[in-house]
Amino acid sequence: MNTILFAIAAYLIGSLSFAVIVSKLFKLADPRTYGSKNPGATNVLRSGNKKAALVTLLGDCFKGWLAVWLARKFGPEFGLGEGSIALVAIAVFLGHLWPVFFRFVGGKGVATALGVLLGLNVWLGVATLATWLIVAYAFRYSSLAALVASVFAPFYYGLLFGTDTILLAVLAMSGLLIYRHRKNIGNLISGKESRIGSKKS
């Protein structure tokens, strides 16, 4: 029962779409109406407001980290084990993808996944972030960087901790990230993908 309550709380935390919230605070257009129509930091950046994009990125990352941190910090006294932590990690991620507060229209989950990984282990998050930064800097495609990082994240976890229940959660997140980027994959292949920093159309 406690595991279910923690998972529900994590899902609700994940359902806070910072792209939409921050855009309203900065009096910007709804990110679901322009560019890729994805409520995420990369699309908010297309508005031309770098500060709003940064706040969105940090907010989406923070909520992923917070849900896992709360489960790790307070979970043991409620009987939460490794499997419960894995469920919380997936729940907050699913909240971002399909947020109950925003008609289940969410982002692709890159920043939230990073927050989850940082919550699981700092070095796991840092290694995955470094992978994203290297690919993004080299090719200027946020989606390509996310795809490569999502492939490497389970590999990094396996190197650090071996195979366990949480690895299954990381694999599930990676699979969902790739699925959510399926349109981007097509655009990358056809040469139609927008580069980082391109303005909204």
Side-chain angles (χ1 to χ4, degrees), residues 18-32 102:
F18 279 90
V20 178
I21 295 170
V22 171
S23 292
K24 287 183 178 180
L25 291 175
F26 279 76
K27 298 181 179 179
L28 302 173
D30 189 323
R32 295 168 294 182
F102 297 92

Side-chain angles (χ1 to χ4, degrees), residues 37-52:
K37 295 182 171 57
N38 173 62
T42 301
N43 205 36
V44 173
L45 183 61
R46 292 189 177 102
S47 71
N49 195 314
K50 294 181 180 179
K51 185 180 293 185

Side-chain angles (χ1 to χ4, degrees), residues 21-148:
I21 295 170
V22 171
S23 292
K24 287 183 178 180
L25 291 175
F26 279 76
K27 298 181 179 179
L28 302 173
D30 189 323
R32 295 168 294 182
T33 64
Y34 63 82
S36 66
K37 295 182 171 57
N38 173 62
T42 301
N43 205 36
V44 173
L45 183 61
R46 292 189 177 102
S47 71
N49 195 314
K50 294 181 180 179
K51 185 180 293 185
L54 178 60
V55 175
T56 298
L57 176 67
L58 294 176
D60 283 342
C61 182
F62 175 74
K63 70 184 182 185
W65 173 86
L66 178 63
V68 175
W69 180 83
L70 288 173
R72 283 194 174 280
K73 179 72 174 178
F74 301 105
E77 62 184 279
F78 292 98
L80 268 65
E82 184 181 273
S84 299
I85 300 299
L87 184 59
V88 165
I90 287 295
V92 68
F93 185 68
L94 291 177
H96 179 80
L97 299 187
W98 293 287
V100 67
F101 303 130
F102 297 92
R103 300 179 182 179
F104 302 101
V105 178
K108 295 176 181 175
V110 177
T112 302
L114 173 61
V116 169
L117 296 177
L118 287 168
L120 293 173
N121 181 269
V122 173
W123 292 113
L124 172 64
V126 168
T128 306
L129 174 60
T131 301
W132 188 96
L133 289 171
I134 291 169
V135 177
Y137 179 79
F139 298 98
R140 307 297 297 172
Y141 288 116
S142 176
S143 57
L144 179 62
L147 289 165
V148 174

Side-chain angles (χ1 to χ4, degrees), residues 122-192:
V122 173
W123 292 113
L124 172 64
V126 168
T128 306
L129 174 60
T131 301
W132 188 96
L133 289 171
I134 291 169
V135 177
Y137 179 79
F139 298 98
R140 307 297 297 172
Y141 288 116
S142 176
S143 57
L144 179 62
L147 289 165
V148 174
S150 67
V151 170
F152 274 86
F155 173 72
Y156 294 144
Y157 186 92
L159 284 179
L160 289 168
F161 307 106
T163 56
D164 56 21
T165 307
I166 295 177
L167 174 59
L168 295 178
V170 176
L171 282 167
M173 282 198 305
S174 294
L176 284 168
L177 275 168
I178 293 171
Y179 171 75
R180 294 287 282 191
H181 282 81
R182 61 195 184 281
K183 183 178 179 180
N184 302 91
I185 293 173
N187 288 339
L188 285 166
I189 293 173
S190 63
K192 298 178 181 178

